[in-house]
Each structure stands twice: as C-alpha cells, then as structure tokens.
Amino acid sequence: MNSKILIAIIAAAVVITASAAILIISSEDSKDGTVTAKSGYDAVVWLDDGNNETGYSGTGDNVRKIIENALSGHTIVFSSNGNIASIDGVANTNDKVWTIFKWASPGGWAVFSDKTANYTDRMTVSVRYADKTTNDKGNATYSAPNIEVEYKVYYFIQFKEQYNSTEWMRSIGLSDSQKREGIWIEGTGKNNNEALADAVLRYLFPNSTYSSAAADGQVTYTVDGKTGLFTYGERIDMYGWFLSFFGWSDTKQSSEGGEYGTWTYWSQYCYHPDAKSLDDPKQWNYDQFSFGMYDITKYRYFGLVLQTTAAEDDVDASIPAPSGIPKGL
C-alpha cells in the first residue's frame, strides 16, 4: 500500500480522511506570534504491519514514549535493548523485524533510535514489520516504508531589484510595488524545492500546466511548454542549489567588494526553528546550506530576496516575521 501524508501547519487537530489517506497534524505555532511551550515532541506515527498502514498522533520526549502514546490501543513489548520485540502478539523472526523509521527531507526514511535520534516537532515516524536482510559481512538492512510524505512550508518572496527583467517576472499577476515589497505564499512537497515550486505555481501561475523532469544532475520545471521558471541542482553536496528562479541566475555585477565581487542573486533565509515566537524579524538567518538541504520537518519558514550584495554571509534583509502571514494562507 502506498499512502500519502500531508503535514499541515494550520490544522487545529489530527484528522484522518479515509478517501484520500491524508493525515493532517496540528502545529504548536500560532499566527499571533506565539509558540506554545510544552514538553516532548508531537509526531505522526504510522503502524505498518506489512498489510496495512494506519496513522496515529503521539507525544513524548523520546521515541519509546512517542510510540507508546500513539499506539496506546495496541500491545507493545519492548526488549531489554529498547527495540520492539512484538506488537499485538506478532513477534520478530529471523527475517521479519519490528523496525522504527523516521522521515527526513532530503533523505527520506531511515532507521531511527534514541542512539541516532534527531528529534523534531511534528516529525513522522513509522513502526514497520520490516523485511530483514543480512549480507555476507553480517550487516543487516531493513525494508523502508512505502509511505510518501509531504510537508507544508511558507515562503516570503521579494524582488528588491530586477523585478521586470525576465519574462517570468513580467508574467506574474503582481504589481511592481507588490514585487518590491514581497509576498507570502505556501506550498507542499517532499523537499524544500518541491514545496517552493508548488507554492509558486499555485499562487503565481494558477492557470498554467507544468511538469518537472530530472536530467544531467538537475531538476527543471516546464511551464506552459517553456523552461526557465525554476531549475535546481541535484548534486549530493549542493542539493537544491538554484540554477534559475523566475528566469534569474546568479549574475556577477562587479569584481569589487568582498572576496568574490558583487552579485545579484536570490539571497535565501530561514527562520530559526527554535525561536520562542513568530514575530521577531531578528530570528531570520542567512542560509548556510543549499536550499534543498534544509529539512522541512524542522524548518518551515523561508525568505527569498532578489538583491545585489558583495557580502558572502549574513546578508541583510528586511523580511517580515512569520506572524504577518495572511490569515487563511
């Protein structure tokens, strides 16, 4: 079975819709600028017995407590080393083992335990009766879940400069002042780049047809038969690097200023995931990684500013705090 889950930021409760197999999980973030203090982590926990996948919500400060809380209606037996020995009387065998996985972006599903834990609020976990395979060196691998995961992410896009310099910029339904001041949009996807593309296409090109294709180490979106709106790289060490966005590629303006000169490019920012409120513009950080390397299970607010600068890091930008996201977005 191939299920699809959508982790939304705006829901007030956990809801499972049978028709679409989509699970919506609540957030502790509030658009009034506050982040509710609480102990432990909220998570979506999927129970996958090999035949069916069922989603639950759970809370706890470690993986065992999260699972026990989420699967409270099931009988779970843990072994002395903390692994799951059986669920509802179904025990581990030589080639079938109850295995805990956590989903991340990029990377997808990976075996998860407190020894390798990287906890994030609203994370997605799967408890799977997985196939175990052991190689000739004695190393075991476990079959990963078939569940497809998407998260909702918010983006502030601002054309400080060059706002009518490409066909793509001229074709969006925004005034020049709106482009210069910037707007909030939101999208969903399996990684940061996919969610951004979804947001741009749904909000700024709502009547267009599009497709995406990966080739030669990059992903290219074709919109109404034309390329150039969005292309990003797939190199492992620079996954999601912008090659073209709204038809604009990094452009060197001068050799003066800084070690690399002065450039006009899409400066990228993320809002600190551990910020105590959503109304503090000082919590915006200049991105230190490629765009696609940010795990959207943890980072949910990004700023993209087209501007000219000679700085290589800590580039200044006046991005509004996420508490200003329009209601209903």
Side-chain angles (χ1 to χ4, degrees), residues 51-87:
N51 297 309
N52 297 289
E53 300 150 346
T54 307
Y56 301 87
S57 62
T59 302
D61 56 13
N62 61 52
V63 65
R64 176 168 175 167
K65 290 181 180 178
I66 290 171
I67 290 171
E68 288 178 328
N69 179 258
L71 306 182
S72 58
H74 297 266
T75 302
I76 306 174
V77 177
F78 286 87
S79 58
S80 58
N81 63 5
N83 294 333
I84 296 175
S86 68
I87 297 180

PDB file of all heavy atoms in Angstrom, residues 51-87:
ATOM      1  N   ASN A  51       0.676  -5.352   5.911  1.00  0.00           N
ATOM      2  CA  ASN A  51      -0.550  -5.418   5.112  1.00  0.00           C
ATOM      3  C   ASN A  51      -1.298  -4.094   5.086  1.00  0.00           C
ATOM      4  O   ASN A  51      -1.899  -3.728   4.077  1.00  0.00           O
ATOM      5  CB  ASN A  51      -1.480  -6.512   5.662  1.00  0.00           C
ATOM      6  CG  ASN A  51      -0.870  -7.892   5.575  1.00  0.00           C
ATOM      7  OD1 ASN A  51      -0.401  -8.302   4.523  1.00  0.00           O
ATOM      8  ND2 ASN A  51      -0.861  -8.612   6.690  1.00  0.00           N
ATOM      9  N   ASN A  52      -1.266  -3.377   6.193  1.00  0.00           N
ATOM     10  CA  ASN A  52      -1.985  -2.111   6.304  1.00  0.00           C
ATOM     11  C   ASN A  52      -1.107  -1.071   6.989  1.00  0.00           C
ATOM     12  O   ASN A  52      -0.253  -1.399   7.820  1.00  0.00           O
ATOM     13  CB  ASN A  52      -3.282  -2.290   7.111  1.00  0.00           C
ATOM     14  CG  ASN A  52      -4.254  -3.245   6.434  1.00  0.00           C
ATOM     15  OD1 ASN A  52      -4.842  -2.920   5.412  1.00  0.00           O
ATOM     16  ND2 ASN A  52      -4.411  -4.436   7.010  1.00  0.00           N
ATOM     17  N   GLU A  53      -1.351   0.192   6.634  1.00  0.00           N
ATOM     18  CA  GLU A  53      -0.664   1.319   7.258  1.00  0.00           C
ATOM     19  C   GLU A  53      -1.711   2.216   7.890  1.00  0.00           C
ATOM     20  O   GLU A  53      -2.642   2.657   7.221  1.00  0.00           O
ATOM     21  CB  GLU A  53       0.137   2.105   6.219  1.00  0.00           C
ATOM     22  CG  GLU A  53       1.199   1.283   5.511  1.00  0.00           C
ATOM     23  CD  GLU A  53       1.470   1.761   4.097  1.00  0.00           C
ATOM     24  OE1 GLU A  53       0.648   2.555   3.592  1.00  0.00           O
ATOM     25  OE2 GLU A  53       2.464   1.355   3.501  1.00  0.00           O
ATOM     26  N   THR A  54      -1.586   2.461   9.192  1.00  0.00           N
ATOM     27  CA  THR A  54      -2.552   3.286   9.919  1.00  0.00           C
ATOM     28  C   THR A  54      -1.818   4.394  10.635  1.00  0.00           C
ATOM     29  O   THR A  54      -0.818   4.147  11.316  1.00  0.00           O
ATOM     30  CB  THR A  54      -3.341   2.437  10.938  1.00  0.00           C
ATOM     31  OG1 THR A  54      -3.916   1.305  10.274  1.00  0.00           O
ATOM     32  CG2 THR A  54      -4.444   3.268  11.573  1.00  0.00           C
ATOM     33  N   GLY A  55      -2.308   5.635  10.491  1.00  0.00           N
ATOM     34  CA  GLY A  55      -1.655   6.777  11.091  1.00  0.00           C
ATOM     35  C   GLY A  55      -2.266   7.175  12.420  1.00  0.00           C
ATOM     36  O   GLY A  55      -3.485   7.162  12.595  1.00  0.00           O
ATOM     37  N   TYR A  56      -1.394   7.542  13.378  1.00  0.00           N
ATOM     38  CA  TYR A  56      -1.808   7.997  14.701  1.00  0.00           C
ATOM     39  C   TYR A  56      -1.006   9.250  15.056  1.00  0.00           C
ATOM     40  O   TYR A  56      -0.011   9.570  14.404  1.00  0.00           O
ATOM     41  CB  TYR A  56      -1.531   6.921  15.766  1.00  0.00           C
ATOM     42  CG  TYR A  56      -2.211   5.591  15.531  1.00  0.00           C
ATOM     43  CD1 TYR A  56      -1.599   4.614  14.734  1.00  0.00           C
ATOM     44  CD2 TYR A  56      -3.438   5.296  16.106  1.00  0.00           C
ATOM     45  CE1 TYR A  56      -2.208   3.385  14.520  1.00  0.00           C
ATOM     46  CE2 TYR A  56      -4.051   4.064  15.901  1.00  0.00           C
ATOM     47  CZ  TYR A  56      -3.429   3.115  15.098  1.00  0.00           C
ATOM     48  OH  TYR A  56      -4.034   1.901  14.897  1.00  0.00           O
ATOM     49  N   SER A  57      -1.430   9.937  16.111  1.00  0.00           N
ATOM     50  CA  SER A  57      -0.646  11.050  16.640  1.00  0.00           C
ATOM     51  C   SER A  57      -0.115  10.663  18.011  1.00  0.00           C
ATOM     52  O   SER A  57      -0.796   9.985  18.789  1.00  0.00           O
ATOM     53  CB  SER A  57      -1.501  12.319  16.746  1.00  0.00           C
ATOM     54  OG  SER A  57      -2.581  12.126  17.640  1.00  0.00           O
ATOM     55  N   GLY A  58       1.107  11.083  18.314  1.00  0.00           N
ATOM     56  CA  GLY A  58       1.716  10.757  19.597  1.00  0.00           C
ATOM     57  C   GLY A  58       2.601  11.877  20.091  1.00  0.00           C
ATOM     58  O   GLY A  58       3.067  12.714  19.309  1.00  0.00           O
ATOM     59  N   THR A  59       2.841  11.890  21.403  1.00  0.00           N
ATOM     60  CA  THR A  59       3.676  12.901  22.037  1.00  0.00           C
ATOM     61  C   THR A  59       4.594  12.231  23.041  1.00  0.00           C
ATOM     62  O   THR A  59       4.186  11.306  23.755  1.00  0.00           O
ATOM     63  CB  THR A  59       2.819  13.971  22.747  1.00  0.00           C
ATOM     64  OG1 THR A  59       1.951  14.584  21.790  1.00  0.00           O
ATOM     65  CG2 THR A  59       3.692  15.033  23.385  1.00  0.00           C
ATOM     66  N   GLY A  60       5.827  12.707  23.144  1.00  0.00           N
ATOM     67  CA  GLY A  60       6.756  12.176  24.135  1.00  0.00           C
ATOM     68  C   GLY A  60       8.115  12.813  23.981  1.00  0.00           C
ATOM     69  O   GLY A  60       8.380  13.503  23.003  1.00  0.00           O
ATOM     70  N   ASP A  61       8.996  12.589  24.986  1.00  0.00           N
ATOM     71  CA  ASP A  61      10.321  13.188  24.915  1.00  0.00           C
ATOM     72  C   ASP A  61      11.383  12.201  24.429  1.00  0.00           C
ATOM     73  O   ASP A  61      12.563  12.528  24.371  1.00  0.00           O
ATOM     74  CB  ASP A  61      10.731  13.789  26.270  1.00  0.00           C
ATOM     75  CG  ASP A  61      10.675  12.777  27.406  1.00  0.00           C
ATOM     76  OD1 ASP A  61      10.572  11.562  27.126  1.00  0.00           O
ATOM     77  OD2 ASP A  61      10.734  13.206  28.574  1.00  0.00           O
ATOM     78  N   ASN A  62      10.974  10.980  24.082  1.00  0.00           N
ATOM     79  CA  ASN A  62      11.876  10.051  23.411  1.00  0.00           C
ATOM     80  C   ASN A  62      11.040   9.134  22.528  1.00  0.00           C
ATOM     81  O   ASN A  62       9.801   9.118  22.605  1.00  0.00           O
ATOM     82  CB  ASN A  62      12.740   9.261  24.405  1.00  0.00           C
ATOM     83  CG  ASN A  62      11.917   8.411  25.358  1.00  0.00           C
ATOM     84  OD1 ASN A  62      11.068   7.626  24.944  1.00  0.00           O
ATOM     85  ND2 ASN A  62      12.148   8.581  26.660  1.00  0.00           N
ATOM     86  N   VAL A  63      11.717   8.368  21.684  1.00  0.00           N
ATOM     87  CA  VAL A  63      10.999   7.611  20.667  1.00  0.00           C
ATOM     88  C   VAL A  63      10.073   6.559  21.283  1.00  0.00           C
ATOM     89  O   VAL A  63       8.966   6.321  20.798  1.00  0.00           O
ATOM     90  CB  VAL A  63      11.984   6.980  19.665  1.00  0.00           C
ATOM     91  CG1 VAL A  63      12.875   5.947  20.320  1.00  0.00           C
ATOM     92  CG2 VAL A  63      11.242   6.372  18.482  1.00  0.00           C
ATOM     93  N   ARG A  64      10.501   5.925  22.380  1.00  0.00           N
ATOM     94  CA  ARG A  64       9.648   4.911  23.000  1.00  0.00           C
ATOM     95  C   ARG A  64       8.367   5.527  23.537  1.00  0.00           C
ATOM     96  O   ARG A  64       7.273   4.988  23.315  1.00  0.00           O
ATOM     97  CB  ARG A  64      10.405   4.193  24.114  1.00  0.00           C
ATOM     98  CG  ARG A  64       9.546   3.196  24.878  1.00  0.00           C
ATOM     99  CD  ARG A  64      10.360   2.295  25.769  1.00  0.00           C
ATOM    100  NE  ARG A  64       9.509   1.414  26.578  1.00  0.00           N
ATOM    101  CZ  ARG A  64       9.947   0.362  27.260  1.00  0.00           C
ATOM    102  NH1 ARG A  64      11.244   0.054  27.244  1.00  0.00           N
ATOM    103  NH2 ARG A  64       9.117  -0.383  27.965  1.00  0.00           N
ATOM    104  N   LYS A  65       8.472   6.652  24.236  1.00  0.00           N
ATOM    105  CA  LYS A  65       7.288   7.286  24.795  1.00  0.00           C
ATOM    106  C   LYS A  65       6.352   7.781  23.694  1.00  0.00           C
ATOM    107  O   LYS A  65       5.126   7.719  23.831  1.00  0.00           O
ATOM    108  CB  LYS A  65       7.702   8.434  25.710  1.00  0.00           C
ATOM    109  CG  LYS A  65       8.356   7.972  27.007  1.00  0.00           C
ATOM    110  CD  LYS A  65       8.718   9.156  27.887  1.00  0.00           C
ATOM    111  CE  LYS A  65       9.370   8.702  29.196  1.00  0.00           C
ATOM    112  NZ  LYS A  65       9.761   9.858  30.046  1.00  0.00           N
ATOM    113  N   ILE A  66       6.925   8.284  22.611  1.00  0.00           N
ATOM    114  CA  ILE A  66       6.102   8.741  21.495  1.00  0.00           C
ATOM    115  C   ILE A  66       5.294   7.578  20.928  1.00  0.00           C
ATOM    116  O   ILE A  66       4.086   7.685  20.687  1.00  0.00           O
ATOM    117  CB  ILE A  66       6.984   9.375  20.403  1.00  0.00           C
ATOM    118  CG1 ILE A  66       7.563  10.713  20.885  1.00  0.00           C
ATOM    119  CG2 ILE A  66       6.189   9.581  19.114  1.00  0.00           C
ATOM    120  CD1 ILE A  66       8.612  11.290  19.966  1.00  0.00           C
ATOM    121  N   ILE A  67       5.959   6.440  20.725  1.00  0.00           N
ATOM    122  CA  ILE A  67       5.286   5.272  20.155  1.00  0.00           C
ATOM    123  C   ILE A  67       4.239   4.722  21.117  1.00  0.00           C
ATOM    124  O   ILE A  67       3.114   4.392  20.714  1.00  0.00           O
ATOM    125  CB  ILE A  67       6.323   4.201  19.788  1.00  0.00           C
ATOM    126  CG1 ILE A  67       7.155   4.681  18.589  1.00  0.00           C
ATOM    127  CG2 ILE A  67       5.650   2.866  19.467  1.00  0.00           C
ATOM    128  CD1 ILE A  67       8.341   3.807  18.271  1.00  0.00           C
ATOM    129  N   GLU A  68       4.584   4.615  22.399  1.00  0.00           N
ATOM    130  CA  GLU A  68       3.624   4.108  23.380  1.00  0.00           C
ATOM    131  C   GLU A  68       2.395   5.003  23.460  1.00  0.00           C
ATOM    132  O   GLU A  68       1.268   4.520  23.583  1.00  0.00           O
ATOM    133  CB  GLU A  68       4.292   3.986  24.747  1.00  0.00           C
ATOM    134  CG  GLU A  68       5.292   2.841  24.832  1.00  0.00           C
ATOM    135  CD  GLU A  68       5.980   2.777  26.184  1.00  0.00           C
ATOM    136  OE1 GLU A  68       6.186   3.853  26.802  1.00  0.00           O
ATOM    137  OE2 GLU A  68       6.318   1.668  26.624  1.00  0.00           O
ATOM    138  N   ASN A  69       2.616   6.313  23.368  1.00  0.00           N
ATOM    139  CA  ASN A  69       1.498   7.248  23.423  1.00  0.00           C
ATOM    140  C   ASN A  69       0.621   7.129  22.171  1.00  0.00           C
ATOM    141  O   ASN A  69      -0.615   7.090  22.260  1.00  0.00           O
ATOM    142  CB  ASN A  69       2.014   8.671  23.578  1.00  0.00           C
ATOM    143  CG  ASN A  69       0.902   9.702  23.615  1.00  0.00           C
ATOM    144  OD1 ASN A  69       0.645  10.377  22.636  1.00  0.00           O
ATOM    145  ND2 ASN A  69       0.227   9.819  24.754  1.00  0.00           N
ATOM    146  N   ALA A  70       1.245   7.047  21.022  1.00  0.00           N
ATOM    147  CA  ALA A  70       0.497   6.983  19.769  1.00  0.00           C
ATOM    148  C   ALA A  70      -0.240   5.654  19.615  1.00  0.00           C
ATOM    149  O   ALA A  70      -1.380   5.616  19.148  1.00  0.00           O
ATOM    150  CB  ALA A  70       1.434   7.194  18.589  1.00  0.00           C
ATOM    151  N   LEU A  71       0.415   4.566  20.006  1.00  0.00           N
ATOM    152  CA  LEU A  71      -0.160   3.226  19.807  1.00  0.00           C
ATOM    153  C   LEU A  71      -0.697   2.660  21.109  1.00  0.00           C
ATOM    154  O   LEU A  71      -0.583   1.462  21.378  1.00  0.00           O
ATOM    155  CB  LEU A  71       0.911   2.298  19.220  1.00  0.00           C
ATOM    156  CG  LEU A  71       1.613   2.786  17.942  1.00  0.00           C
ATOM    157  CD1 LEU A  71       2.603   1.750  17.436  1.00  0.00           C
ATOM    158  CD2 LEU A  71       0.601   3.149  16.860  1.00  0.00           C
ATOM    159  N   SER A  72      -1.318   3.521  21.899  1.00  0.00           N
ATOM    160  CA  SER A  72      -1.798   3.104  23.219  1.00  0.00           C
ATOM    161  C   SER A  72      -2.870   2.023  23.132  1.00  0.00           C
ATOM    162  O   SER A  72      -3.104   1.292  24.100  1.00  0.00           O
ATOM    163  CB  SER A  72      -2.341   4.313  23.990  1.00  0.00           C
ATOM    164  OG  SER A  72      -3.397   4.937  23.265  1.00  0.00           O
ATOM    165  N   GLY A  73      -3.527   1.904  21.984  1.00  0.00           N
ATOM    166  CA  GLY A  73      -4.549   0.879  21.824  1.00  0.00           C
ATOM    167  C   GLY A  73      -3.994  -0.466  21.396  1.00  0.00           C
ATOM    168  O   GLY A  73      -4.763  -1.408  21.180  1.00  0.00           O
ATOM    169  N   HIS A  74      -2.681  -0.573  21.290  1.00  0.00           N
ATOM    170  CA  HIS A  74      -2.041  -1.813  20.864  1.00  0.00           C
ATOM    171  C   HIS A  74      -1.131  -2.336  21.986  1.00  0.00           C
ATOM    172  O   HIS A  74      -0.665  -1.569  22.839  1.00  0.00           O
ATOM    173  CB  HIS A  74      -1.208  -1.577  19.599  1.00  0.00           C
ATOM    174  CG  HIS A  74      -2.028  -1.160  18.417  1.00  0.00           C
ATOM    175  ND1 HIS A  74      -2.501  -2.052  17.485  1.00  0.00           N
ATOM    176  CD2 HIS A  74      -2.474   0.065  18.030  1.00  0.00           C
ATOM    177  CE1 HIS A  74      -3.193  -1.392  16.563  1.00  0.00           C
ATOM    178  NE2 HIS A  74      -3.195  -0.105  16.864  1.00  0.00           N
ATOM    179  N   THR A  75      -0.876  -3.623  21.968  1.00  0.00           N
ATOM    180  CA  THR A  75       0.012  -4.243  22.950  1.00  0.00           C
ATOM    181  C   THR A  75       1.430  -4.283  22.388  1.00  0.00           C
ATOM    182  O   THR A  75       1.685  -4.979  21.392  1.00  0.00           O
ATOM    183  CB  THR A  75      -0.446  -5.666  23.290  1.00  0.00           C
ATOM    184  OG1 THR A  75      -1.791  -5.616  23.795  1.00  0.00           O
ATOM    185  CG2 THR A  75       0.471  -6.292  24.332  1.00  0.00           C
ATOM    186  N   ILE A  76       2.337  -3.516  23.005  1.00  0.00           N
ATOM    187  CA  ILE A  76       3.712  -3.415  22.522  1.00  0.00           C
ATOM    188  C   ILE A  76       4.642  -3.977  23.590  1.00  0.00           C
ATOM    189  O   ILE A  76       4.570  -3.585  24.759  1.00  0.00           O
ATOM    190  CB  ILE A  76       4.096  -1.954  22.213  1.00  0.00           C
ATOM    191  CG1 ILE A  76       3.075  -1.333  21.253  1.00  0.00           C
ATOM    192  CG2 ILE A  76       5.498  -1.875  21.612  1.00  0.00           C
ATOM    193  CD1 ILE A  76       3.292   0.147  21.018  1.00  0.00           C
ATOM    194  N   VAL A  77       5.522  -4.857  23.188  1.00  0.00           N
ATOM    195  CA  VAL A  77       6.521  -5.415  24.093  1.00  0.00           C
ATOM    196  C   VAL A  77       7.899  -4.956  23.617  1.00  0.00           C
ATOM    197  O   VAL A  77       8.268  -5.179  22.460  1.00  0.00           O
ATOM    198  CB  VAL A  77       6.465  -6.958  24.127  1.00  0.00           C
ATOM    199  CG1 VAL A  77       7.577  -7.516  25.020  1.00  0.00           C
ATOM    200  CG2 VAL A  77       5.100  -7.428  24.608  1.00  0.00           C
ATOM    201  N   PHE A  78       8.630  -4.302  24.527  1.00  0.00           N
ATOM    202  CA  PHE A  78       9.983  -3.849  24.213  1.00  0.00           C
ATOM    203  C   PHE A  78      10.995  -4.836  24.806  1.00  0.00           C
ATOM    204  O   PHE A  78      10.799  -5.361  25.908  1.00  0.00           O
ATOM    205  CB  PHE A  78      10.242  -2.456  24.786  1.00  0.00           C
ATOM    206  CG  PHE A  78       9.540  -1.351  24.034  1.00  0.00           C
ATOM    207  CD1 PHE A  78       8.233  -0.986  24.350  1.00  0.00           C
ATOM    208  CD2 PHE A  78      10.191  -0.671  23.012  1.00  0.00           C
ATOM    209  CE1 PHE A  78       7.588   0.030  23.664  1.00  0.00           C
ATOM    210  CE2 PHE A  78       9.557   0.345  22.320  1.00  0.00           C
ATOM    211  CZ  PHE A  78       8.254   0.702  22.639  1.00  0.00           C
ATOM    212  N   SER A  79      12.082  -5.054  24.095  1.00  0.00           N
ATOM    213  CA  SER A  79      13.156  -5.896  24.614  1.00  0.00           C
ATOM    214  C   SER A  79      14.058  -5.065  25.510  1.00  0.00           C
ATOM    215  O   SER A  79      13.913  -3.848  25.614  1.00  0.00           O
ATOM    216  CB  SER A  79      13.959  -6.503  23.467  1.00  0.00           C
ATOM    217  OG  SER A  79      14.508  -5.489  22.644  1.00  0.00           O
ATOM    218  N   SER A  80      15.022  -5.699  26.168  1.00  0.00           N
ATOM    219  CA  SER A  80      15.873  -5.007  27.129  1.00  0.00           C
ATOM    220  C   SER A  80      16.757  -3.942  26.477  1.00  0.00           C
ATOM    221  O   SER A  80      17.172  -2.982  27.125  1.00  0.00           O
ATOM    222  CB  SER A  80      16.771  -6.027  27.855  1.00  0.00           C
ATOM    223  OG  SER A  80      17.553  -6.751  26.911  1.00  0.00           O
ATOM    224  N   ASN A  81      17.031  -4.080  25.171  1.00  0.00           N
ATOM    225  CA  ASN A  81      17.870  -3.088  24.496  1.00  0.00           C
ATOM    226  C   ASN A  81      17.067  -1.921  23.928  1.00  0.00           C
ATOM    227  O   ASN A  81      17.612  -1.045  23.241  1.00  0.00           O
ATOM    228  CB  ASN A  81      18.689  -3.748  23.385  1.00  0.00           C
ATOM    229  CG  ASN A  81      17.817  -4.347  22.295  1.00  0.00           C
ATOM    230  OD1 ASN A  81      16.597  -4.199  22.305  1.00  0.00           O
ATOM    231  ND2 ASN A  81      18.446  -5.036  21.353  1.00  0.00           N
ATOM    232  N   GLY A  82      15.775  -1.898  24.195  1.00  0.00           N
ATOM    233  CA  GLY A  82      14.928  -0.797  23.750  1.00  0.00           C
ATOM    234  C   GLY A  82      14.239  -1.020  22.421  1.00  0.00           C
ATOM    235  O   GLY A  82      13.389  -0.223  22.020  1.00  0.00           O
ATOM    236  N   ASN A  83      14.604  -2.080  21.709  1.00  0.00           N
ATOM    237  CA  ASN A  83      13.931  -2.389  20.444  1.00  0.00           C
ATOM    238  C   ASN A  83      12.561  -3.006  20.709  1.00  0.00           C
ATOM    239  O   ASN A  83      12.296  -3.524  21.792  1.00  0.00           O
ATOM    240  CB  ASN A  83      14.776  -3.348  19.609  1.00  0.00           C
ATOM    241  CG  ASN A  83      16.078  -2.720  19.151  1.00  0.00           C
ATOM    242  OD1 ASN A  83      16.165  -1.493  18.998  1.00  0.00           O
ATOM    243  ND2 ASN A  83      17.089  -3.540  18.936  1.00  0.00           N
ATOM    244  N   ILE A  84      11.706  -2.964  19.701  1.00  0.00           N
ATOM    245  CA  ILE A  84      10.383  -3.559  19.826  1.00  0.00           C
ATOM    246  C   ILE A  84      10.489  -5.059  19.564  1.00  0.00           C
ATOM    247  O   ILE A  84      11.006  -5.493  18.526  1.00  0.00           O
ATOM    248  CB  ILE A  84       9.399  -2.906  18.842  1.00  0.00           C
ATOM    249  CG1 ILE A  84       9.217  -1.426  19.190  1.00  0.00           C
ATOM    250  CG2 ILE A  84       8.051  -3.626  18.869  1.00  0.00           C
ATOM    251  CD1 ILE A  84       8.354  -0.672  18.197  1.00  0.00           C
ATOM    252  N   ALA A  85       9.992  -5.867  20.508  1.00  0.00           N
ATOM    253  CA  ALA A  85      10.037  -7.322  20.366  1.00  0.00           C
ATOM    254  C   ALA A  85       8.787  -7.864  19.688  1.00  0.00           C
ATOM    255  O   ALA A  85       8.858  -8.809  18.895  1.00  0.00           O
ATOM    256  CB  ALA A  85      10.218  -7.982  21.726  1.00  0.00           C
ATOM    257  N   SER A  86       7.634  -7.232  19.981  1.00  0.00           N
ATOM    258  CA  SER A  86       6.391  -7.691  19.351  1.00  0.00           C
ATOM    259  C   SER A  86       5.324  -6.619  19.474  1.00  0.00           C
ATOM    260  O   SER A  86       5.388  -5.749  20.352  1.00  0.00           O
ATOM    261  CB  SER A  86       5.897  -8.993  19.995  1.00  0.00           C
ATOM    262  OG  SER A  86       5.462  -8.751  21.332  1.00  0.00           O
ATOM    263  N   ILE A  87       4.348  -6.674  18.597  1.00  0.00           N
ATOM    264  CA  ILE A  87       3.174  -5.809  18.653  1.00  0.00           C
ATOM    265  C   ILE A  87       1.951  -6.674  18.403  1.00  0.00           C
ATOM    266  O   ILE A  87       1.903  -7.424  17.414  1.00  0.00           O
ATOM    267  CB  ILE A  87       3.253  -4.670  17.617  1.00  0.00           C
ATOM    268  CG1 ILE A  87       4.441  -3.747  17.915  1.00  0.00           C
ATOM    269  CG2 ILE A  87       1.950  -3.863  17.609  1.00  0.00           C
ATOM    270  CD1 ILE A  87       4.579  -2.593  16.944  1.00  0.00           C
TER     271      ILE A  87
END
